[in-house]
Amino acid sequence: MKQKTLATIVASLLATTAMADGKQVTIASWGGSYQEAQSKALFEPAAIATGIEVKQESYGGMSDVRLQVETGQVTLDIVASGSGSAARAGAEGLLEELDYGVIDVTDFYPTLYSKYCVGGDVFSTVFSWNPEIYGADGLSSWADFWDVEKFPGRRAYRGGVAGALEPALMADGVAPEDVYSVLGSEEGIERALDKIRELRPFIDVFWTSGAQHAQLMKDGEVDMTTGWNGRFDNAAKDGAKVTYTFNQALLDYDCFGVPKGAPNRDTAMAFLAEISKPEYQDDLPKYITYGPTNRAAYATGVIDAATAAALPSSPENAALQLPISLEWYAEWETIAAEMYQEMLTE
C-alpha cells in the first residue's frame, strides 16, 4: 500500500511538472476502432500519468510525413506506422533515430523494434469471409481466396502494396518460406502482380484503410476480404458477419516513429517510453485483439489465457504465419509500390 501511494504521489508530481512546462505531443494514427483502442489503452492513460498534453489526428501514412519533412513544416511528433513503411521511411531520412536510452525495450521481443520505430502492437493480415455464406470453417488458404469457382462472391483486396504481394505468391503455390526470395527481383514482383491481375475481375473494392475493410464486411458489401485481424474482431462484436483464420496470415507489427524535425522531439521520446511500459500494453487487447510487443505485458495478470490464445503473437497462432520481412520492405517497397499502382491503373 505504501509503495502504491508513493508511486501515485510521484506520478502526480511528474504530471504537475510536465503540465507546468506546457509539454505536448501531436500523435497521428489511422482512425477508426484501431485509433480508438490506442487512445483508450495507451494515449489517454499515459497523458494522465505524465501530464503531457496529447493531441490526436488521423493521417494517410508516410506520404503525409514525407510532405511535412520535405517542406520543412513538420507538425506531427509521433506517428503510427506499419513496420515496413517505417523501415523505408527511416532509410529515406524521414524519421528520427529513437533514443533507447530513454525508451526501455529490455522486455520487447527482439524483432519488434528498430532504429526508427518502436513496436506498439502485433497484428496479422488475414483473409476473412462471411460464415453464413461459406461456413464457419470456410476458406483455409490464399489459394481458396483466389478460387472463384469453389468460392464465388464479392471480394475486396488491399489497395496498397504492403501485405498485398505475399498472399498472391502463396496463392500461386510459393511456399511461405520462399516468398521473400521470389519477391527479391522485379520478375518476382511481376509474378505476384500477374496473380492479382488474375483475380482483379472479381475484386469489387481495393480498400485503403482498416476502417474501410471492416466496414465493407459490416455492411455486407463484400463476401470476403483481406485485412487486419483486430478490425474484424471489433466488426464481429458490432454484429458483422465475419470470421477469419491465422493460417498463412502475415505476422506484422505496428510501431511508433518520430518524424524528422518533430517540434517536440524530446517530449515524444518520453511519451513513447511511457506507452511502451507493460502496464499500458496489457490493456490494448481489451479494445482490439492485437498482441503486445512488450513480453512483460503477459505477466501482469491482465491478459488471461483465453485472450492470449486469440492474439496473433501467441505461439500457436504465430507458428501458422509468415513474418513480414522488414529488410525486403526497406529495399523493395518503393519499386513494388510503383509497379502495384501501375497495375491498378491499367
Short mmCIF file of all heavy atoms in Angstrom, two decimals, residues 23-24 43 58 79 147 154 180 192 199 231-232 241 265 278 306 321 343:
data_model
loop_
_atom_site.label_atom_id
_atom_site.label_comp_id
_atom_site.label_asym_id
_atom_site.label_seq_id
_atom_site.Cartn_x
_atom_site.Cartn_y
_atom_site.Cartn_z
N LYS A 23 4.25 20.82 -21.75
CA LYS A 23 4.69 19.80 -22.70
C LYS A 23 3.49 19.21 -23.43
O LYS A 23 2.44 18.97 -22.84
CB LYS A 23 5.47 18.71 -21.98
CG LYS A 23 6.82 19.19 -21.44
CD LYS A 23 7.60 18.06 -20.80
CE LYS A 23 8.97 18.54 -20.33
NZ LYS A 23 9.76 17.47 -19.69
N GLN A 24 3.68 18.95 -24.71
CA GLN A 24 2.61 18.36 -25.51
C GLN A 24 3.19 17.58 -26.68
O GLN A 24 4.34 17.79 -27.07
CB GLN A 24 1.67 19.44 -26.05
CG GLN A 24 2.33 20.41 -27.03
CD GLN A 24 1.35 21.43 -27.58
OE1 GLN A 24 0.45 21.86 -26.89
NE2 GLN A 24 1.55 21.82 -28.84
N PHE A 43 -2.75 6.22 -25.13
CA PHE A 43 -2.57 7.67 -25.16
C PHE A 43 -3.20 8.39 -23.96
O PHE A 43 -2.55 9.21 -23.31
CB PHE A 43 -3.14 8.26 -26.45
CG PHE A 43 -2.59 7.65 -27.71
CD1 PHE A 43 -3.34 7.67 -28.89
CD2 PHE A 43 -1.33 7.06 -27.75
CE1 PHE A 43 -2.84 7.13 -30.06
CE2 PHE A 43 -0.82 6.50 -28.92
CZ PHE A 43 -1.59 6.53 -30.08
N SER A 58 -5.85 11.93 -37.37
CA SER A 58 -5.79 10.79 -38.28
C SER A 58 -5.03 11.24 -39.52
O SER A 58 -5.13 12.39 -39.94
CB SER A 58 -7.20 10.32 -38.66
OG SER A 58 -7.87 9.83 -37.52
N VAL A 79 4.04 9.30 -35.01
CA VAL A 79 3.13 8.73 -36.00
C VAL A 79 3.07 7.22 -35.84
O VAL A 79 4.08 6.57 -35.57
CB VAL A 79 3.56 9.08 -37.45
CG1 VAL A 79 3.42 10.57 -37.69
CG2 VAL A 79 4.98 8.62 -37.74
N ASP A 147 -9.81 -18.89 -55.49
CA ASP A 147 -10.62 -19.88 -56.19
C ASP A 147 -12.05 -19.37 -56.35
O ASP A 147 -12.92 -19.58 -55.49
CB ASP A 147 -10.62 -21.20 -55.42
CG ASP A 147 -11.19 -22.35 -56.22
OD1 ASP A 147 -11.96 -22.10 -57.17
OD2 ASP A 147 -10.87 -23.52 -55.89
N ARG A 154 -18.30 -11.66 -53.87
CA ARG A 154 -17.69 -10.34 -53.99
C ARG A 154 -16.47 -10.24 -53.08
O ARG A 154 -16.53 -10.60 -51.92
CB ARG A 154 -18.72 -9.26 -53.61
CG ARG A 154 -19.98 -9.25 -54.48
CD ARG A 154 -21.11 -8.51 -53.80
NE ARG A 154 -21.46 -9.19 -52.54
CZ ARG A 154 -22.29 -8.67 -51.63
NH1 ARG A 154 -22.82 -7.48 -51.81
NH2 ARG A 154 -22.56 -9.34 -50.53
N TYR A 180 9.76 -14.27 -49.85
CA TYR A 180 10.60 -13.08 -49.99
C TYR A 180 11.80 -13.30 -50.91
O TYR A 180 12.30 -12.35 -51.52
CB TYR A 180 11.03 -12.57 -48.62
CG TYR A 180 9.88 -11.91 -47.89
CD1 TYR A 180 9.30 -12.51 -46.77
CD2 TYR A 180 9.34 -10.72 -48.35
CE1 TYR A 180 8.22 -11.92 -46.12
CE2 TYR A 180 8.26 -10.12 -47.71
CZ TYR A 180 7.70 -10.71 -46.60
OH TYR A 180 6.63 -10.13 -45.98
N ALA A 192 3.80 -11.85 -58.78
CA ALA A 192 2.74 -11.60 -57.82
C ALA A 192 1.66 -10.71 -58.41
O ALA A 192 0.45 -10.95 -58.22
CB ALA A 192 3.32 -10.96 -56.56
N LEU A 199 -7.11 -12.27 -60.44
CA LEU A 199 -8.25 -12.15 -59.54
C LEU A 199 -9.00 -10.82 -59.72
O LEU A 199 -10.16 -10.71 -59.32
CB LEU A 199 -7.78 -12.26 -58.08
CG LEU A 199 -8.84 -12.34 -56.99
CD1 LEU A 199 -9.66 -13.62 -57.13
CD2 LEU A 199 -8.21 -12.27 -55.59
N ARG A 231 -9.40 -5.57 -36.51
CA ARG A 231 -10.52 -4.83 -37.10
C ARG A 231 -11.72 -5.75 -37.32
O ARG A 231 -12.87 -5.36 -37.09
CB ARG A 231 -10.09 -4.23 -38.44
CG ARG A 231 -8.97 -3.21 -38.35
CD ARG A 231 -9.47 -1.85 -37.92
NE ARG A 231 -8.45 -0.83 -38.12
CZ ARG A 231 -8.69 0.47 -38.14
NH1 ARG A 231 -9.91 0.91 -37.96
NH2 ARG A 231 -7.71 1.34 -38.33
N PHE A 232 -11.44 -6.98 -37.76
CA PHE A 232 -12.54 -7.92 -37.99
C PHE A 232 -13.17 -8.36 -36.67
O PHE A 232 -14.39 -8.55 -36.58
CB PHE A 232 -12.03 -9.13 -38.77
CG PHE A 232 -11.61 -8.81 -40.18
CD1 PHE A 232 -10.40 -9.26 -40.67
CD2 PHE A 232 -12.42 -8.06 -41.01
CE1 PHE A 232 -9.99 -8.98 -41.97
CE2 PHE A 232 -12.03 -7.75 -42.32
CZ PHE A 232 -10.81 -8.21 -42.79
N LYS A 241 -21.03 -10.06 -39.96
CA LYS A 241 -20.90 -11.49 -40.26
C LYS A 241 -19.51 -11.70 -40.86
O LYS A 241 -19.32 -11.59 -42.07
CB LYS A 241 -22.00 -11.93 -41.22
CG LYS A 241 -23.41 -11.73 -40.65
CD LYS A 241 -24.47 -12.10 -41.68
CE LYS A 241 -25.87 -11.92 -41.10
NZ LYS A 241 -26.16 -10.49 -40.76
N ARG A 265 10.40 16.82 -30.12
CA ARG A 265 11.12 15.56 -30.24
C ARG A 265 11.39 14.91 -28.88
O ARG A 265 11.10 13.73 -28.69
CB ARG A 265 12.45 15.79 -30.96
CG ARG A 265 13.33 14.56 -31.06
CD ARG A 265 14.72 14.88 -31.57
NE ARG A 265 15.57 13.71 -31.58
CZ ARG A 265 16.19 13.20 -30.52
NH1 ARG A 265 16.03 13.76 -29.33
NH2 ARG A 265 16.94 12.11 -30.64
N PRO A 278 4.69 -2.18 -19.80
CA PRO A 278 3.71 -3.28 -19.82
C PRO A 278 2.35 -2.92 -19.25
O PRO A 278 1.33 -3.46 -19.69
CB PRO A 278 4.38 -4.38 -18.99
CG PRO A 278 5.41 -3.67 -18.16
CD PRO A 278 5.88 -2.53 -19.01
N ALA A 306 -7.37 -17.19 -22.12
CA ALA A 306 -8.28 -17.23 -23.27
C ALA A 306 -8.00 -16.08 -24.23
O ALA A 306 -8.00 -16.26 -25.46
CB ALA A 306 -9.73 -17.19 -22.80
N GLN A 321 1.94 -18.52 -39.36
CA GLN A 321 2.03 -17.31 -40.16
C GLN A 321 3.41 -17.06 -40.77
O GLN A 321 4.42 -17.62 -40.33
CB GLN A 321 1.63 -16.11 -39.29
CG GLN A 321 0.24 -16.25 -38.67
CD GLN A 321 -0.09 -15.09 -37.77
OE1 GLN A 321 -0.18 -13.95 -38.22
NE2 GLN A 321 -0.29 -15.37 -36.49
N MET A 343 -0.29 -1.30 -61.99
CA MET A 343 -1.21 -2.40 -62.23
C MET A 343 -2.67 -1.96 -61.96
O MET A 343 -3.59 -2.30 -62.72
CB MET A 343 -0.84 -3.59 -61.34
CG MET A 343 -1.70 -4.84 -61.52
SD MET A 343 -3.20 -4.86 -60.48
CE MET A 343 -2.47 -4.92 -58.84
#
